[in-house]
Amino acid sequence: MENKMEWWKQTSIYQIYPWSFQDSNGDGIGDLPGILRRLDEIQALGVETIWFSPFYESPGEDFGYDISDYTSIDPRFGTMADCERLIKEIHKRKMRVVLDMVMNHTSDKHPWFLESKSSTTNPKRDFYIWKKGNKKAPNNWISMVGKSGWNYDSKTDEYYYSNFLSFQPDLNYRNPKVKKTMLGVLDFWLQKGVDGFRLDIFNSIYKDEQFRDNPFSFRFFPTPDNHDEAFFQKKQYNLNLPESFSFAKEVRKHISKYKHKPFLIGEVSGSDQVLKSFLGEKADGLNLVFQFELIHFQYKAKFFKDLLEKNETVFPNPYTPTYVLGNHDQRRYIDRLGGDVRKAKLLVCFQFMARGVPIVYYGEEIGRKEGRLSNFFGKDPIAKMNRFLPLFLSNLLGIYINRDNCRLPMLWDDSENAGFSNGKPWLPVGSFQTTDTVKVQKKDPNSLWSHYQTLFHLRNNLGVIRDGSLKTIETENVDVLCFERENGKQTLRVYLNFGETGVRLDVTKKGKVLYAFGGAEIGETILLPAHSGVIIDVTGKKSLKK
Ligand code: NOJ
């Protein structure tokens, strides 16, 4: 990188869900040797950082987010030697590795919990949050999945707390031994060379020491970016505690001693103020947090303009916004666009050209669509909990119940099971066209894959996209979003037409077109057909009109 800005502020992240990426041994589940086989393709796409959803040993009740050994590899995915090879091969290709770290809770099959559960006097008892209940839950705390977070254990006549599902007991960070052990887990992986961690539900790490009841709220449904008020509760005492903000700084400090400058990206949710508290008032907390507003985008220029302006106001440099269109918990964005690739291209151009870190979920680059798997037969534990809720009703209510649907296998080619596996895939591949696969899209310069590749490469090659400031520019047309990126050496303008009709914009000097798509053309004017966009280098072209 030619500039001085920290590497993680400039990076791009690609999320791999190991279960669904590439199977190598025919058991129908993706694995590390499979991922190794695909590294060249990921590199060709232009990705810098790969984030892996968990592949540690786990009963797999929440598909790896229920860990039973933090320093081992689940045999479903391979061995520690495979993992070490993966890290090495990624680094060899000048890419980076981010591991998912579930610090908030373990599996209830973790030896620590089994010990903790065995008696009230066991030395591991205090590794978790236990409380007497007097025949009812110790307080009113609702977990993130909408039920009491307290789980009764008849053997010791106490309740343990879980802020997600009951088989995921929360660790007790008020116990210094827990902190020390979990920071030790980070060290284990950092010493293996990993470049950072995605911290799972980090907003839930601390719970109120006095176990006070949460106050009432009128809000029932949570959204991806706000769990703070949901299920008729303001989660004042079991989410986003000030101690969690301080712990963010502690973890940052802890990892800062590593020379290779690893970073943390937190899965947290709440108001901008809450996110900022996790990032630290001196930007000394989590390096980045996921910002999920883009997940429920409105396909309107104004929505994107407001988002950019909000981020520039609330998270100015040195803060680095992140732009997320989906992940393994959310409906895929291509389905929210009715499968319209023209619109997808606009969204992605926005995501990659904004100041911040774009985060791409595997399959987004080919417009991999959702499944239509019912809640009833879901493998996802959230679906199991809600199995009697029909899919159409959960869709109508706008709640995402069966996350299997966004976790379907990758579509590589038109061979058996789309090249994902020669065994029976753990989730169905579903129907697809050859044009939906990586193999075909890679050869088509107009495909979504090629669009992603162009944008990844533009980011990689042009410092201004990674380190430049951003300002929005008013345009003559409400459907057109325009913003400028500038770093003192170079100035770029991005024009995106979100409208249903073509637009002609008057400019006096053209600048150099770096990338145009959707039929955009530049002459004496800029012609932007519906759902098209253009990136122009306007360095030195001061007379370019609005
Ligand atoms: C958030 C993860 O993204 C999700 O997949 C998981 O089920 C929960 N945290 C619990 O770990």
Side-chain angles (χ1 to χ4, degrees):
M1 305 237 164
E2 74 255 25
N3 56 42
K4 294 245 160 40
M5 194 184 250
E6 292 96 319
W7 73 268
W8 49 266
K9 288 188 172 180
Q10 312 185 39
T11 197
S12 53
I13 301 180
Y14 182 81
Q15 179 190 358
I16 290 186
Y17 193 69
W19 286 78
S20 301
F21 201 63
Q22 178 66 65
D23 178 18
S24 72
N25 61 1
D27 66 358
I29 295 174
D31 47 42
L32 304 189
I35 297 170
L36 266 156
R37 249 174 54 200
R38 296 294 182 183
L39 278 189
D40 288 338
E41 295 189 71
I42 303 174
Q43 187 189 20
L45 188 60
V47 171
E48 184 186 28
T49 299
I50 309 179
W51 148 34
F52 294 97
S53 281
F55 46 56
Y56 319 100
E57 222 169 272
S58 155
E61 286 178 85
D62 191 16
F63 298 92
Y65 287 92
D66 49 329
I67 299 171
S68 51
D69 185 348
Y70 286 85
T71 53
S72 69
I73 304 299
D74 194 296
R76 291 179 187 95
F77 301 118
T79 61
M80 188 56 88
D82 292 328
C83 178
E84 285 164 355
R85 197 150 69 88
L86 185 63
I87 297 173
K88 201 164 136 218
E89 290 296 322
I90 290 175
H91 286 156
K92 221 164 93 186
R93 289 168 178 77
K94 305 258 176 295
M95 296 191 288
R96 321 247 189 180
V97 189
V98 164
L99 297 190
D100 219 308
M101 192 45 72
V102 188
M103 295 180 87
N104 179 68
H105 52 261
T106 68
S107 156
D108 62 353
K109 312 290 179 313
H110 195 296
W112 301 337
F113 188 69
L114 297 179
E115 273 194 57
S116 179
K117 214 178 142 177
S118 64
S119 85
T120 50
T121 52
N122 185 282
K124 286 275 180 322
R125 185 67 169 184
D126 206 25
F127 251 54
Y128 296 84
I129 302 168
W130 288 97
K131 205 149 168 55
K132 281 247 166 285
N134 216 354
K135 303 244 177 310
K136 64 177 182 53
N139 67 19
N140 74 351
W141 294 351
I142 301 280
S143 74
M144 287 163 102
V145 298
K147 58 183 194 62
S148 168
W150 293 103
N151 309 277
Y152 183 61
D153 172 52
S154 54
K155 184 165 175 218
T156 57
D157 190 27
E158 283 190 355
Y159 290 76
Y160 70 87
Y161 189 71
S162 61
N163 227 350
F164 209 71
L165 292 155
S166 49
F167 58 81
Q168 293 161 315
D170 283 21
L171 285 163
N172 174 17
Y173 280 84
R174 297 194 187 272
N175 176 350
K177 286 192 190 136
V178 168
K179 244 194 208 180
K180 193 163 168 246
T181 308
M182 292 310 290
L183 292 176
V185 168
L186 302 188
D187 289 330
F188 174 88
W189 290 106
L190 289 168
Q191 281 153 21
K192 288 202 180 294
V194 310
D195 301 287
F197 299 101
R198 176 258 185 196
L199 301 176
D200 190 69
I201 55 169
F202 195 79
N203 49 338
S204 157
I205 285 274
Y206 274 87
K207 270 60 68 171
D208 182 44
E209 205 168 8
Q210 299 167 47
F211 295 97
R212 282 168 282 191
D213 275 342
N214 278 331
F216 175 80
S217 155
F218 283 103
R219 197 182 177 121
F220 185 74
F221 291 118
T223 61
D225 53 359
N226 194 347
H227 275 273
D228 303 18
E229 286 194 38
F231 311 117
F232 299 129
Q233 249 181 43
K234 185 163 164 21
K235 311 246 185 116
Q236 192 169 328
Y237 296 118
N238 58 344
L239 279 187
N240 296 331
L241 268 82
E243 292 92 324
S244 299
F245 306 149
S246 318
F247 188 48
K249 290 186 192 161
E250 217 176 308
V251 185
R252 169 84 173 263
K253 195 159 168 236
H254 183 83
I255 67 158
S256 306
K257 58 180 186 256
Y258 287 87
K259 292 216 172 53
H260 62 294
K261 305 215 179 312
F263 80 108
L264 305 166
I265 174 163
E267 188 201 24
V268 297
S269 64
S271 64
D272 287 334
Q273 199 39 54
V274 166
L275 299 196
K276 214 157 173 184
S277 304
F278 278 110
L279 294 166
E281 55 293 341
K282 295 195 195 108
D284 52 354
L286 303 179
N287 306 61
L288 301 171
V289 296
F290 289 95
Q291 288 175 253
F292 293 125
E293 294 110 314
L294 205 50
I295 289 201
H296 39 101
F297 61 84
Q298 288 162 357
Y299 188 80
K300 283 192 182 118
K302 182 171 177 340
F303 171 88
F304 298 97
K305 181 166 181 276
D306 290 350
L307 180 56
L308 288 178
E309 287 171 357
K310 194 283 301 267
N311 277 342
E312 291 311 308
T313 314
V314 184
F315 301 105
N317 206 359
Y319 296 99
T320 307
T322 61
Y323 289 91
V324 181
L325 279 166
N327 61 34
H328 61 291
D329 296 329
Q330 303 295 336
R331 192 162 174 229
R332 284 186 178 269
Y333 82 86
I334 192 77
D335 288 77
R336 279 178 276 135
L337 288 172
D340 193 331
V341 173
R342 296 173 311 161
K343 293 183 179 173
K345 285 187 175 174
L346 247 72
L347 244 67
V348 180
C349 186
F350 169 84
Q351 184 189 26
F352 275 69
M353 294 302 296
R355 184 183 70 82
V357 173
I359 302 170
V360 177
Y361 179 48
Y362 86 96
E364 282 179 356
E365 73 275 29
I366 49 169
R368 211 283 176 237
K369 293 203 181 69
E370 284 270 311
R372 294 277 173 273
L373 305 171
S374 72
N375 297 337
F376 191 79
F377 293 110
K379 290 193 158 72
D380 174 13
I382 304 281
K384 285 184 176 156
M385 251 180 74
N386 297 286
R387 65 169 69 242
F388 294 109
L389 188 63
L391 187 63
F392 83 89
L393 194 59
S394 51
N395 285 346
L396 201 74
L397 294 171
I399 45 176
Y400 197 57
I401 299 293
N402 187 356
R403 298 175 297 174
D404 295 349
N405 284 311
C406 64
R407 300 171 177 178
L408 302 188
M410 183 63 168
L411 303 175
W412 294 107
D413 55 44
D414 57 1
S415 66
E416 188 190 7
N417 297 321
F420 164 66
S421 168
N422 51 23
K424 185 173 181 290
W426 75 287
L427 285 176
V429 169
S431 58
F432 66 96
Q433 320 267 321
T434 52
T435 47
D436 295 332
T437 63
V438 176
K439 187 173 172 200
V440 171
Q441 290 201 21
K442 253 166 58 175
K443 292 191 201 121
D444 173 4
N446 290 318
S447 70
L448 192 53
W449 191 95
S450 298
H451 181 71
Y452 271 91
Q453 190 193 36
T454 304
L455 290 166
F456 268 118
H457 284 264
L458 271 177
R459 273 187 72 90
N460 295 345
N461 296 329
L462 294 179
V464 62
I465 307 180
R466 304 191 309 268
D467 69 356
S469 61
L470 181 145
K471 70 170 190 236
T472 56
I473 311 271
E474 292 301 325
T475 66
E476 306 142 26
N477 190 300
V478 286
D479 288 329
V480 176
L481 170 70
C482 176
F483 58 95
E484 196 164 275
R485 302 295 313 277
E486 204 265 305
N487 68 352
K489 291 181 221 136
Q490 201 173 11
T491 311
L492 306 185
R493 280 235 181 138
V494 182
Y495 290 88
L496 300 170
N497 179 9
F498 289 87
E500 286 301 334
T501 49
V503 172
R504 210 174 266 286
L505 297 178
D506 191 17
V507 289
T508 47
K509 282 201 183 164
K510 294 183 282 194
K512 183 172 154 223
V513 176
L514 296 178
Y515 182 44
F517 60 93
E521 278 174 33
I522 317 284
E524 283 308 302
T525 58
I526 301 181
L527 174 67
L528 289 172
H531 317 297
S532 70
V534 64
I535 303 168
I536 313 175
D537 184 341
V538 297
T539 312
K541 305 261 188 284
K542 291 280 180 243
S543 55
L544 193 89
K545 279 194 200 163
K546 288 173 179 177

